[in-house]
Amino acid sequence: MDVVTPDVLCAVDRALAATKAASRRDDVQVVLAEAINNIAEHAYAERDFGALALRILLNDTVLTIQLTDWGGALPDDQAQNAPPPVPTNLSEGGYGWFLIRTLTSVTSYSRVHGQNRLTLEFELF
């Protein structure tokens, strides 16, 4: 079954709507759209298709979303060390990791057994 990014975003949004994480829905939508786009564009750059697993955990204070893919590795800790964009460059790209890091309270990436694991935490207000 083919599932595209808008389908994933809608499903996650519906799942969060009636929870204590409802106040973070907009941030989650932006972050997930950026993260999934990065996976499709970079991890699966040389492939016609790719798989993505999404895990959502919610407790009283934190919403955690873990994305797992089986594509190419993220080079050189790009998730943690990507420089902020320079707005005067007027570039269309380069804002993804900045947005992800700005809208989450914790962002972590690991490569384990051929899998990329991106963990995103959102503090609940």
Side-chain angles (χ1 to χ4, degrees):
M1 179 172 126
D2 290 337
V3 178
V4 295
T5 302
D7 298 332
V8 173
L9 296 176
C10 286
V12 170
D13 191 58
R14 281 192 307 272
L16 296 179
T19 71
K20 55 191 137 191
S23 65
R24 299 303 307 264
R25 287 166 58 201
D26 290 340
D27 292 342
V28 168
Q29 291 291 295
V30 170
V31 168
L32 276 183
E34 290 293 341
I36 293 169
N37 181 61
N38 283 346
I39 291 167
E41 188 174 330
H42 301 292
Y44 291 120
E46 302 297 322
R47 302 176 188 182
D48 292 332
F49 64 91
L52 172 68
L54 181 101
R55 181 177 182 196
I56 300 173
L57 303 167
L58 179 61
N59 65 32
D60 288 336
T61 61
V62 177
L63 167 66
T64 303
I65 299 176
Q66 185 179 63
L67 300 168
T68 302
D69 71 76
W70 292 261
L74 184 66
D76 301 325
D77 294 325
Q78 185 176 351
Q80 272 68 26
N81 299 321
V86 179
T88 56
N89 286 351
L90 299 176
S91 172
E92 288 184 32
Y95 289 87
W97 283 114
F98 173 75
L99 288 170
I100 290 169
R101 287 192 320 263
T102 300
L103 296 174
T104 58
S105 52
V106 175
T107 302
S108 63
Y109 166 80
S110 62
R111 176 87 175 169
V112 180
H113 304 298
Q115 298 175 356
N116 295 307
R117 294 184 186 161
L118 178 63
T119 303
L120 309 161
E121 293 184 9
F122 300 83
E123 288 183 20
L124 303 179
F125 316 125

